[in-house]
Amino acid sequence: SMFPGLIHRVSLQKPHRCQNSIHAMAKMVLSLTPDRKNIWIIVLSVILSSSMVKSKYLAEPDVLWSYQLPGSGSLAGPGLRKGNAIVAMEKYLFATTDEGSLHIISLFDNEKIHIKGPVLQGTFAECHSGVSISKDNNGDMNYLVYAVQFTPNLSGKDNTFYFIERMSRVIAVHIDGTIRWTKDLVGKISGTPVISENFIYISISNKHDGGQIVILRDEGRDEWPTVAAKISSGDKSNKKTFGPLTLQTSLDGHDFIFWGESDYETSLNGDFFAYALYRSEKFASNQGIGPDSYTMKTITKWDRSLITQPLIARDLSLVFMGGSGSSVSGWVNGLNTSSDSMGIAEFDWLNVMQKPEVNPSRPMISDMTLSRDNKFLFLTDNSFYMYCLETMTGKIVWSSDGNRESGYVVQPKLSEIPEESPMVYTIETLRGNVRQHNANNGYINWEFNCYNLSREKLCGHSVEGEFRCVSPFLILY
């Protein structure tokens, strides 16, 4: 290739002898330069560890290895856009790209599988989904699910476009790269489908129905899935779209699905609702088929459009949402799942972060992160800032503007190890710089720039795909 791309592996921790297999993992980064587009997987290690119990952060990360995905290296090639993600699970690394391809990398035998994006005549495919993983009864990986959408590209004789409804496709893939099944749906899927046992939940919106949650039941290997139910707000006049889904399993083992409404045309005006969905008492007798197998509740109403995932504490005690106008709101009185209203009304606090100079009504576009003790919330705004907030009050503990050369699209990732200060990681969107902040005070410990990996400037701008921080040895992918 004239413009070879690379996947780089970088360590945040010096490998212990028993950790060599873990350090075979990788981090994927989209690299854009003015004349070409390369996708790298870069693996960073950030911890020096002498045992499984005692660890110490490195002063700066180590690059472990790197690899360029096939097809990248030109502006026409694939890239990682907002919604695409890297997922590391056991001995595999998974990544979706913007044209609908799926990449599977075995981290132990270096086998690589490239599943090309689907094609639908008269449309162009695009993917804004990551990967969800289904596990069997033994906890082993069973199959993967992701989503692709098709936008019509047909035009008339006068070069005007016919505005035809978008189509989306949910794709289930076995670990060996073979297709398990596909399911086409009318509308645009938001975010990544989520999996609860053998049911797949999809947030989708179309012109006729507005927002819907479509639930598929997986019927086993090589069988077409069943449409178990389609759930909507019940208000036929409400055409607002549904945002991406959050799956949270409560401490007693029950799965809850959360999402909010969004509307780009009225990003600051009107009422927007947030919802929760869970299994009803009829779920078992109905085998999950039919709308009455599920209970959908409105958990709150506010005047902000939501395009990110709601953040829910594991014990369902806290709810956080980022909305239009760079706003963040918190509900701290918990979800009463035995109540028809689920115990949530108006937010307990609202904080408006730094607004960008251009389009100040723009909604928050990066997901938030919660500390293990539920006391602190980490987020990035639409400008140049990263924040730490108190979860109970929304007050700013610290903020950091980095070098004010690039904003953020990806979610901050938090690392908490015994007897060490917690660390939070982020990546600048326009430059691809990875930074480690002290989570207690926001101090920047180090900045990793992938310009340093090659004589060529292979890391230019527009790093949008979600990265991963994998414990216990803190490898960044």
Side-chain angles (χ1 to χ4, degrees):
S1 172
M2 182 177 294
F3 303 119
L6 300 172
I7 292 178
H8 289 278
R9 171 181 174 178
V10 186
S11 177
L12 306 178
Q13 137 187 7
K14 190 172 182 179
H16 189 255
R17 285 177 298 175
C18 66
Q19 301 168 7
N20 290 336
S21 62
I22 301 294
H23 282 253
M25 299 182 177
K27 169 190 177 229
M28 178 164 296
V29 171
L30 164 68
S31 306
L32 275 175
T33 60
D35 58 347
R36 58 186 173 272
K37 179 168 65 174
N38 298 298
I39 306 177
W40 295 4
I41 291 183
I42 304 175
V43 186
L44 302 175
S45 178
V46 294
I47 289 183
L48 171 66
S49 178
S50 58
S51 69
M52 292 289 289
V53 178
K54 179 62 177 176
S55 298
K56 184 178 181 180
Y57 287 99
L58 290 174
E60 59 184 35
D62 288 338
V63 179
L64 301 180
W65 58 265
S66 60
Y67 167 73
Q68 182 186 353
L69 293 185
S72 65
S74 69
L75 288 177
L80 270 74
R81 298 300 185 189
K82 177 63 178 173
N84 297 138
I86 303 128
V87 176
M89 180 67 69
E90 298 175 5
K91 61 179 180 179
Y92 293 98
L93 193 72
F94 309 101
T96 53
T97 51
D98 57 1
E99 92 298 8
S101 290
L102 174 66
H103 301 266
I104 304 174
I105 300 174
S106 173
L107 300 174
F108 288 88
D109 58 17
N110 205 32
E111 180 183 3
K112 303 173 183 68
I113 299 172
H114 174 205
I115 303 170
K116 293 184 178 180
V119 176
L120 184 63
Q121 186 176 3
T123 70
F124 65 90
E126 51 184 332
C127 176
H128 301 283
S129 167
V131 169
S132 289
I133 299 174
S134 171
K135 295 185 178 182
D136 59 24
N137 294 332
N138 297 321
D140 297 325
M141 284 189 294
N142 195 7
Y143 61 90
L144 320 171
V145 170
Y146 69 108
V148 175
Q149 65 190 40
F150 302 98
T151 300
N153 58 10
L154 300 176
S155 63
K157 295 180 181 180
D158 57 354
N159 292 322
T160 59
F161 284 91
Y162 295 114
F163 291 97
I164 305 172
E165 186 70 75
R166 287 182 176 180
M167 296 290 295
S168 292
R169 180 171 298 171
V170 184
I171 305 173
V173 180
H174 295 293
I175 304 302
D176 62 6
T178 58
I179 301 297
R180 183 180 180 91
W181 50 256
T182 63
K183 182 64 178 179
D184 287 353
L185 300 170
V186 178
K188 178 183 177 181
I189 291 178
S190 178
T192 303
V194 299
I195 300 175
S196 174
E197 297 180 2
N198 61 324
F199 290 84
I200 299 96
Y201 297 78
I202 302 123
S203 174
I204 190 167
S205 303
N206 60 56
K207 297 176 182 178
H208 182 264
D209 301 308
Q212 280 191 328
I213 304 301
V214 176
I215 305 169
L216 304 179
R217 186 177 71 180
D218 181 83
E219 303 293 355
R221 188 180 182 95
D222 302 324
E223 297 289 336
W224 293 106
T226 299
V227 178
K230 294 182 178 180
I231 311 292
S232 65
S233 65
D235 181 1
K236 293 184 178 180
S237 65
N238 183 2
K239 300 300 182 183
K240 293 186 176 69
T241 59
F242 282 176
L245 304 179
T246 294
L247 170 66
Q248 183 60 277
T249 302
S250 63
L251 297 177
D252 58 0
H254 294 90
D255 286 343
F256 293 83
I257 310 293
F258 300 92
W259 72 97
E261 290 180 336
S262 64
D263 189 341
Y264 288 99
E265 295 181 359
T266 56
S267 59
L268 269 179
N269 301 314
D271 292 330
F272 297 87
F273 295 90
Y275 303 97
L277 183 73
Y278 52 96
R279 296 176 178 181
S280 71
E281 295 178 353
K282 296 182 179 181
F283 180 87
S285 60
N286 292 347
Q287 297 182 332
I289 302 297
D292 60 348
S293 297
Y294 306 88
T295 299
M296 175 177 167
K297 297 295 183 184
T298 302
I299 61 174
T300 192
K301 179 181 75 173
W302 64 341
D303 59 352
R304 310 278 165 158
S305 177
L306 174 71
I307 66 171
T308 58
Q309 292 178 304
L311 178 61
I312 316 292
R314 177 73 188 278
D315 59 3
L316 308 184
S317 63
L318 304 170
V319 180
F320 305 99
M321 293 191 291
S324 47
S326 296
S327 61
V328 179
S329 294
W331 292 258
V332 299
N333 293 317
L335 292 168
N336 180 7
T337 57
S338 63
S339 168
D340 288 342
S341 66
M342 297 193 72
I344 280 193
E346 295 185 1
F347 51 80
D348 295 291
W349 56 260
L350 183 146
N351 200 331
V352 177
M353 304 293 104
Q354 181 72 26
K355 294 182 179 181
E357 296 180 1
V358 179
N359 189 15
S361 65
R362 182 183 179 188
M364 300 289 282
I365 59 175
S366 58
D367 294 325
M368 297 174 283
T369 297
L370 186 63
S371 64
R372 190 179 301 160
D373 59 10
N374 289 348
K375 293 182 178 180
F376 301 102
L377 186 67
F378 299 91
L379 63 143
T380 56
D381 65 12
N382 291 327
S383 188
F384 301 97
Y385 287 84
M386 169 179 273
Y387 298 90
C388 173
L389 307 183
E390 292 180 354
T391 56
M392 299 305 293
T393 64
K395 293 181 178 179
I396 297 175
V397 178
W398 57 259
S399 64
S400 173
D401 64 354
N403 54 20
R404 294 188 63 84
E405 294 183 7
S406 173
Y408 308 92
V409 172
V410 299
Q411 176 193 41
K413 305 298 188 295
L414 182 65
S415 163
E416 298 174 273
I417 62 175
E419 301 181 24
E420 287 285 323
S421 296
M423 301 295 172
V424 62
Y425 300 90
T426 191
I427 301 179
E428 296 177 9
T429 298
L430 295 183
R431 289 164 47 88
N433 288 345
V434 183
R435 289 208 300 269
Q436 183 194 70
H437 294 257
N438 185 313
N440 291 329
N441 53 31
Y443 180 79
I444 299 175
N445 295 322
W446 52 256
E447 180 178 285
F448 173 82
N449 190 326
C450 52
Y451 276 49
N452 301 330
L453 299 176
S454 171
R455 294 178 181 177
E456 295 184 274
K457 293 183 177 181
L458 292 178
C459 196
H461 54 271
S462 194
V463 179
E464 300 178 10
E466 284 294 342
F467 70 113
R468 285 294 177 267
C469 178
V470 176
S471 298
F473 306 116
L474 281 185
I475 308 295
L476 295 186
Y477 302 94

